[in-house]
């Protein structure tokens, strides 16, 4: 699989990137989290990024688009270790390259920590997933998988308790106002065109804050998923003594999902901001839309720590409000 010249330059920039000093290690264990920005090449050598839709049953950010990630398990666990572990638990990305079956994961860099509304310091870690070696045919990986199969094999399973869906998006598109992907553009439920990007300014961190919204076209089911569903739909049923014809025990057919009616996956909030900032570093250019010029929230995290926030134990009723951020901004 041959990278495009642009993608080659992107990987070089990310490998060379050195983030500023971080407040992450000043946060107590309960306030540390990390996410994994998994980049991989498509059949044209352009980079795509992996995203998830969180399960509707989760306590925080239920049903929202996110990057694989979660809280740290110990003070000795690095952000990279946390991000890799969570990616394994959520989307089945093996932590051991030997189990990647023809692929390898490279740790490219880490980005400045972001402040989540749940008062976590979130450290983005950027990874590159690539074939471990190339063959003479650029359309075939060392394990024999063609480019069209890479995406299916990239995401071998999900944890339904945490992840409702896994999907991908063109990485460079997070700097664009209009859809630039190779597939169909996003559409609304009524079939009318949907904008790829919508943004607005709001008040947050005691400043004007740009909220990004991206609408990623919902991908069609993978060939593997379609085959599984087809097999399930043909599963034999056992008639009861009353002749109902309904299956007994566990029904192998998939349950209806809250995602079934969606035509796009909306990426917004901290996840969108992290992707915009990562793309700014990677491509060495600014977005076509308005945005906050600084990266991450290291300064605000430091101020909150000084005023006694982000403590080990969350106090009852403790919420990150505009008043709290106003106080922190005066530190």
């Amino acid at each position: 699989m041959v990278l495009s010249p642009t993608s080659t330059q992107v990987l070089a920039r990310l490998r060379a990137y050195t983030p500023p000093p971080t407040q992450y290690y000043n946060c107590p264990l309960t306030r540390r989290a990390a996410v994994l920005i998994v980049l991989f090449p498509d059949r044209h050598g352009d980079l795509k990024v992996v995203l998830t839709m969180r399960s509707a049953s989760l306590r925080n950010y239920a049903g929202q688009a996110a990057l694989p990630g979660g809280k740290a398990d110990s003070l000795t666990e690095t952000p990279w270790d946390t991000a890799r572990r969570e990616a394994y638990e959520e989307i089945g990305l093996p932590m051991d390259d030997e189990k990647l079956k023809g692929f390898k994961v490279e740790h490219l860099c880490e980005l400045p920590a972001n402040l989540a509304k749940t008062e976590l310091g979130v450290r983005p870690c950027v990874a590159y997933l690539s074939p471990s070696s190339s063959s003479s045919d650029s359309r075939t990986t060392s394990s024999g998988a063609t480019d069209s199969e890479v995406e299916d094999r990239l995401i071998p399973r999900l944890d339904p308790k945490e992840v409702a869906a896994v999907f991908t998006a063109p990485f460079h598109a997070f700097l664009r106002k209009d859809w630039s992907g190779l597939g169909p553009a996003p559409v609304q439920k009524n079939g009318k065109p949907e904008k790829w990007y919508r943004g607005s300014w709001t008040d947050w961190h005691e400043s004007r804050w740009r909220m990004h919204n991206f609408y990623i076209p919902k991908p069609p089911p993978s060939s593997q998923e379609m085959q599984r569903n087809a097999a399930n739909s043909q599963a034999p049923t056992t008639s009861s003594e009353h002749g109902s014809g309904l299956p007994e025990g566990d029904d192998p057919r998939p349950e209806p999902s809250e995602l079934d009616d969606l035509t796009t996956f909306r990426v917004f909030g901290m996840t969108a901001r992290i992707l915009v900032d990562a793309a700014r570093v990677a491509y060495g250019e600014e977005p076509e839309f308005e945005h906050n010029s600084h990266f991450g929230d290291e300064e605000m995290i430091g101020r909150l720590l000084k005023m006694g926030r982000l403590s080990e134990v969350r106090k009852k009723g403790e919420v990150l409000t505009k008043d709290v951020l106003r106080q922190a901004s005066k530190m």
Side-chain angles (χ1 to χ4, degrees), residues 1 3 11 15 38-41 47 97 100-106 127-134 141-142 150 154:
M1 187 178 302
L3 284 173
L11 296 179
R15 291 184 183 110
V38 182
L39 304 177
F40 70 99
L47 295 174
D97 279 2
L100 280 167
K101 299 180 180 179
F103 294 88
K104 62 181 179 180
V105 175
E106 178 185 354
Y128 176 50
L129 177 68
S130 66
S132 56
S133 63
S134 58
T141 68
S142 60
V150 170
L154 166 68

Side-chain angles (χ1 to χ4, degrees), residues 36 38 50-52 67-69 82-101 103-105 129 150-167 224:
L36 193 65
V38 182
V50 179
L51 291 144
T52 71
L67 292 159
T82 299
R84 285 296 304 270
R85 174 178 53 76
E86 288 289 333
Y88 170 68
E89 294 175 1
E90 292 182 7
I91 64 174
L93 182 67
M95 298 177 67
D96 185 347
D97 279 2
E98 291 183 2
K99 297 181 180 179
L100 280 167
K101 299 180 180 179
F103 294 88
K104 62 181 179 180
V105 175
L129 177 68
V150 170
E151 210 159 328
D152 284 346
R153 297 183 61 230
L154 166 68
I155 306 162
R157 67 171 177 81
L158 347 159
D159 179 354
K161 297 188 297 295
E162 295 190 38
V163 178
V166 181
F167 60 103
Q224 293 178 1

Side-chain angles (χ1 to χ4, degrees), residues 24 27-37 52 54 58 60-61 66-74 77-91 113-114 116 118-125 159 162-163 270-271 274:
Y24 181 86
C27 295
L29 174 61
T30 57
R31 304 294 183 168
R32 296 184 186 183
V35 295
L36 193 65
I37 303 174
T52 71
R54 292 170 61 82
L58 293 176
N60 296 315
Y61 308 111
L67 292 159
K71 291 185 177 181
D73 268 357
S74 70
E77 189 176 57
T78 67
W80 173 251
D81 292 336
T82 299
R84 285 296 304 270
R85 174 178 53 76
E86 288 289 333
Y88 170 68
E89 294 175 1
E90 292 182 7
I91 64 174
N114 286 254
T118 49
E119 298 192 61
L120 294 175
V122 181
R123 184 79 161 171
C125 301
D159 179 354
E162 295 190 38
V163 178
M270 185 178 66
T271 298
I274 288 174

Side-chain angles (χ1 to χ4, degrees), residues 1-3 42-43 131 134-141 145-147:
M1 187 178 302
V2 179
L3 284 173
D42 66 12
R43 67 182 64 188
S134 58
S135 69
S136 58
D137 179 0
S138 64
R139 289 183 56 78
T140 306
T141 68
T146 60
D147 292 351

Side-chain angles (χ1 to χ4, degrees), residues 85 112 176 186 203 249 296 298 323 328:
R85 174 178 53 76
R176 299 286 178 257
D203 290 324
E298 297 285 4
D323 287 339

Side-chain angles (χ1 to χ4, degrees), residues 10-21 107-113 123-124 126 277-278 280-282 294-296 298:
V10 162
L11 296 179
R13 287 191 194 94
L14 290 170
R15 291 184 183 110
Y17 176 73
T18 301
H107 183 186
L108 296 174
C109 67
E110 296 180 10
L111 301 175
R123 184 79 161 171
V126 188
D277 284 349
R280 290 168 64 196
V281 171
H294 65 284
F295 292 81
E298 297 285 4

